[in-house]
Amino acid sequence: MYITCLDLEGVLVPEIWIAFADAVGIPELRRTTRDEPDYDKLMKFRIGILKEHGLGLKEIQDTIRKIDPMPGAKEFLDELRSMCQTIIISDTFDQFAAPLMEKLGMPTIFCNTLEVAPSGEITGFRMRCEKSKLTTVKALQSIGFETIASGDSFNDLGMIQASKAGFLFRSTEKIIKDYPQFPAFTEYSQLLNAIKDVIKE
């Protein structure tokens, strides 16, 4: 039995931190896992900038409420879920993901949790597990599932490499060039057809 594991940001919804950076006019916050492979380093950098500017969870959530899934994302996800079990595995946080999951039809998502002070200041974060995407894929495989994985960033490469089939979706030129062994797609129809072909094998 197959389970497809998808990244969230950049694949199904726009990058949350980029949208927030643009909303508050802080270009440094546009940095994402496409630019920085070390997620711990990236989040500490972000939390430092939020503290410096006096911004907290409420301001980010206000931006997230205005974000819609990418055009065609919900339809893609609905069709994919009719074909096989599907899990979104993301390095985002419960506090960010909830309104976006409603807009996507409430798919299953595994993500992390922010540590938030009573004032609303983001003070830290707790990862669900180490190397969460790769660890989750390996756990699914250990209980008898074949995995298919797709994502766009450095932090997706572990689960893509470990899966029976892996695909890049709307990734960067550098990642596509450095990992030519993985088919790279820009349209949901292409990704859906590639997953269909794997399931039929």
Side-chain angles (χ1 to χ4, degrees):
M1 183 182 288
Y2 284 100
I3 289 186
T4 297
C5 301
L6 297 174
D7 180 33
L8 177 65
E9 294 178 64
V11 174
L12 299 170
V13 304
E15 293 280 354
I16 291 168
W17 287 97
I18 290 178
F20 181 62
D22 293 346
V24 296
I26 303 174
E28 295 93 331
L29 286 174
R30 289 181 61 88
R31 191 166 179 80
T32 71
T33 51
R34 288 173 163 229
D35 313 299
E36 175 53 68
D38 186 330
Y39 191 73
D40 186 68
K41 179 180 175 182
L42 177 63
M43 275 307 301
K44 287 175 179 175
F45 170 76
R46 288 166 169 169
I47 290 170
I49 290 178
L50 293 175
K51 186 175 180 67
E52 181 185 333
H53 291 270
L55 297 168
L57 179 60
K58 179 186 179 300
E59 289 80 10
I60 300 174
Q61 288 178 327
D62 287 345
T63 295
I64 292 170
R65 288 188 193 98
K66 299 171 188 172
I67 294 175
D68 288 321
M70 293 177 173
K74 184 179 184 299
E75 292 77 11
F76 159 75
L77 199 53
D78 287 345
E79 187 165 353
L80 180 60
R81 290 164 75 190
S82 75
M83 292 163 33
C84 69
Q85 298 293 320
T86 303
I87 299 173
I88 298 170
I89 308 176
S90 175
D91 278 339
T92 193
F93 305 95
D94 296 331
Q95 297 95 327
F96 290 1
L100 296 170
M101 292 306 99
E102 288 183 24
K103 294 179 181 181
L104 285 169
M106 296 306 292
T108 299
I109 183 169
F110 296 166
C111 58
N112 305 307
T113 302
L114 288 169
E115 295 173 345
V116 184
S119 65
E121 178 187 352
I122 297 171
T123 57
F125 59 98
R126 282 184 284 116
M127 301 297 282
R128 186 172 49 82
C129 56
E130 189 177 351
K131 296 182 179 177
S132 61
K133 298 186 181 191
L134 175 60
T135 301
T136 302
V137 159
K138 286 188 171 179
L140 291 168
Q141 292 166 350
S142 76
I143 56 172
F145 290 99
E146 293 274 17
T147 60
I148 301 167
S150 183
D152 69 323
S153 297
F154 284 109
N155 64 336
D156 300 311
L157 293 170
M159 72 173 180
I160 289 172
Q161 290 169 318
S163 291
K164 176 165 183 179
F167 308 105
L168 296 171
F169 188 74
R170 296 180 182 172
S171 191
T172 65
E173 287 184 14
K174 175 172 174 46
I175 292 175
I176 292 169
K177 182 181 176 183
D178 289 350
Y179 295 87
Q181 68 270 41
F182 301 121
F185 303 124
T186 58
E187 300 299 328
Y188 291 119
S189 58
Q190 297 171 319
L191 180 56
L192 194 64
N193 286 334
I195 294 171
K196 279 181 184 176
D197 288 342
V198 175
I199 293 171
K200 285 177 186 174
E201 288 178 3

